[in-house]
């Protein structure tokens, strides 16, 4: 299977964002990609309050666009993420897997919200967004199991291990990583999550400046289960694709069966407490 990640510089203009996303998705499909992953908030990225005011339901314009495009191109499309409008609740940062028939395969709502201070900027996603509460594994048209995560989730190995234990063989990670954290941690964390769970990681990032003057790191990557970087988009908007060698994955898992060597009885504190005792 050939897979591709799309790197975008999204702003607050949804029409412009979708037009550019469509151009790059079509380019990826034209080069044989059967699975394409878009970045976090690919349809609208900017001032948190503005993006929240323009949240959309899953039957709104963006996911309707994604469903029509996936059906036309006959691809599995991970529609990055959008802010999902939900009656009676704050919006959720939702990643949507659309199957080649245009139907929604799965919806994952970001569990870990980015409430941090980094690079001289303060981020408080919880001011405008509500967290999800469930790990999600979908299935591609060829039967491959697809795990879903979003951006800051990358720092929580427990979520990725849960996806692997539920059978995920490929994990899609739409992101808008900050420049300071991207420079320091992006590639090493992606490779670590791929290695420790013996999965392919498809990380599609935002790049460049967005309102209100913040910037995303880019460097979208495809990483294999041995930790090798198969493809990357180093700078600017673009597409990177690679063939996912499932035989290699089976060999890695057979020769080094880390998932079978787990000792859950030793890890019980991970499920009994939210935070470690100081």
């Amino acid at each position: 299977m050939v897979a591709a990640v799309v790197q975008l510089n999204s702003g607050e203009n949804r029409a412009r964002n979708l037009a550019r996303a469509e151009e790059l998705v079509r380019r990826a499909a034209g080069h044989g990609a059967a699975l394409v992953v878009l970045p976090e908030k690919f349809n609208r990225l900017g001032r948190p309050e503005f993006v929240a005011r323009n949240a959309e339901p899953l039957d709104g314009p963006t996911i309707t666009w994604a469903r029509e495009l996936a059906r036309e191109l006959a691809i599995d499309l991970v529609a990055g993420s959008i802010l999902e409008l939900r009656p009676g609740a704050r919006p959720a940062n939702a990643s949507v897997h659309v199957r080649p028939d245009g139907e929604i395969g799965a919806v994952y709502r970001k569990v870990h919200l980015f409430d941090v201070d980094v690079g001289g900027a303060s981020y408080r996603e919880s001011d405008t967004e509500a967290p999800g509460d469930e790990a999600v594994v979908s299935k591609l048209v060829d039967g491959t199991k697809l795990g879903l995560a979003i951006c800051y989730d990358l720092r929580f190995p427990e979520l990725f291990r849960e996806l692997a234990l539920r059978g995920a063989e490929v994990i899609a990670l739409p992101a808008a990583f900050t420049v300071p954290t991207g420079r320091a941690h992006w590639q090493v964390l992606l490779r670590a999550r791929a290695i420790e769970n013996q999965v392919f990681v498809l990380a599609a990032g935002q790049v460049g400046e967005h309102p209100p003057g913040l910037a995303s790191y880019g460097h979208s990557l495809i990483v294999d289960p041995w930790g090798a970087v198969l493809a990357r988009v180093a700078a600017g908007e673009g597409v990177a694709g690679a063939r996912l060698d499932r035989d290699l994955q089976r060999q890695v898992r057979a020769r080094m069966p880390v998932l079978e060597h787990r000792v859950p009885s030793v890890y019980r504190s991970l499920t009994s407490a939210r935070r470690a005792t100081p």
Side-chain angles (χ1 to χ4, degrees), residues 249-261:
Q249 183 174 41
R250 284 186 283 268
Q251 291 168 14
V252 168
R253 289 185 168 189
R255 294 172 180 172
M256 190 179 293
V258 294
L259 296 178
E260 296 177 19
H261 290 166

Side-chain angles (χ1 to χ4, degrees), residues 76-225:
D76 281 287
L77 178 63
V78 177
S81 79
I82 69 167
L83 271 197
E84 176 197 3
L85 182 65
R86 301 183 298 166
R90 282 176 295 165
N93 191 348
S95 182
V96 182
H97 167 219
V98 182
R99 299 192 303 250
D101 62 3
E103 295 302 312
I104 293 176
V107 179
Y108 165 71
R109 296 172 178 91
K110 186 178 181 183
V111 170
H112 304 100
L113 299 186
F114 194 57
D115 287 358
V116 307
D117 300 296
V118 64
S122 181
Y123 301 83
R124 293 293 181 272
E125 287 185 338
S126 64
D127 285 349
T128 54
E129 302 173 20
D133 58 6
E134 183 181 5
V136 174
V137 175
S138 191
K139 188 177 288 188
L140 302 177
V141 68
D142 70 352
T144 300
K145 290 190 175 181
L146 173 72
L148 300 172
I150 300 174
C151 201
Y152 188 46
D153 287 332
L154 182 60
R155 294 184 180 274
F156 299 86
E158 302 94 333
L159 176 62
F160 282 72
R161 178 50 54 90
E162 178 67 20
L163 295 174
L165 292 176
R166 294 190 185 193
E169 298 148 304
V170 177
I171 296 178
L173 183 86
F177 241 64
T178 71
V179 172
T181 59
R183 287 174 178 159
H185 304 143
W186 174 248
Q187 183 172 144
V188 68
L189 287 173
L190 289 170
R191 295 184 67 203
R193 298 295 88 85
I195 293 166
E196 64 200 9
N197 295 296
Q198 300 172 327
V199 295
F200 293 93
V201 175
L202 277 56
Q206 292 279 0
V207 67
E209 290 194 5
H210 323 277
L214 300 175
S216 295
Y217 182 63
H219 292 77
S220 300
L221 298 178
I222 298 177
V223 186
D224 79 7

